[in-house]
Amino acid sequence: CTKHNILLVVDEVQSGFGRTGRYFAVEHSGVIPDILIFAKGVASGMPLSGIVSSQQLMAKQPPGSMGGTFAANAVSCSAAIATLDIFKHENILQNVEKRGHQLKQGLLHLKNKYNNLIGDIRGLGLMIGLEFKPPTVGAAGVSGSGLKHHPYS
């Protein structure tokens, strides 16, 4: 982006505030965005969002041109302060890393046990995705076997 003078905008609305074991998922890459957008987790679900950028870049915006659905309000701002305090005092990010590792290990165990179902497991912290393999039996075979072993038959 720097080479071609293109701004890098990172949307952390879904992935921000601890879900990956860091405050923002982009931190895992070492890349520093020009603009970072966040919401949701910052105030533990209360309506609040934010945009972070350099003062130089933000000064290019005319006053009043930046706004959104989740603009600041006293209750949501208080929730954000409380959320950040809890992150700090309860070691939330370290816990997410530990629980994420635990979750991946459990899913890898299931993948090994049921190799025909799970294709891939990927993600960071507790933001994990599973790729399921396509069924090896046709739809007729699946529905037929289900009917034979139905518990109410």
Side-chain angles (χ1 to χ4, degrees):
C1 290
T2 305
K3 179 180 175 182
H4 297 288
N5 201 27
I6 299 170
L7 293 176
L8 175 62
V9 180
V10 174
D11 180 347
E12 292 269 5
V13 171
Q14 278 293 94
S15 56
F17 275 83
R19 289 175 175 95
T20 67
R22 307 267 173 93
Y23 279 105
F24 299 105
V26 72
E27 292 180 79
H28 291 279
S29 71
V31 172
I32 299 173
D34 297 296
I35 301 171
L36 184 123
I37 302 164
F38 62 92
K40 295 185 180 184
V42 65
S44 295
M46 294 295 293
L48 186 65
S49 63
I51 300 172
V52 178
S53 189
S54 68
Q55 184 177 0
Q56 178 185 4
L57 190 56
M58 294 302 277
K60 294 180 181 188
Q61 300 294 319
S65 66
M66 301 286 271
T69 306
F70 299 132
N73 66 69
V75 174
S76 293
C77 289
S78 292
I81 291 168
T83 299
L84 291 172
D85 284 345
I86 289 169
F87 265 67
K88 181 179 178 182
H89 293 104
E90 295 187 16
N91 299 314
I92 298 295
L93 297 177
Q94 295 84 355
N95 189 45
V96 168
E97 285 185 0
K98 289 178 186 175
R99 298 295 72 80
H101 177 74
Q102 182 182 17
L103 176 59
K104 270 191 170 176
Q105 293 305 307
L107 292 171
L108 285 169
H109 172 75
L110 290 174
K111 179 181 177 179
N112 291 333
K113 187 174 180 179
Y114 304 104
N115 191 28
N116 60 328
L117 296 177
I118 299 174
D120 191 21
I121 302 164
R122 57 186 173 268
L124 300 166
L126 288 170
M127 197 165 192
I128 303 293
L130 291 178
E131 180 181 328
F132 291 97
K133 292 181 178 180
T136 55
V137 185
V142 171
S143 63
S145 67
L147 291 175
K148 288 181 198 172
H149 301 31
H150 191 279
Y152 302 110
S153 298

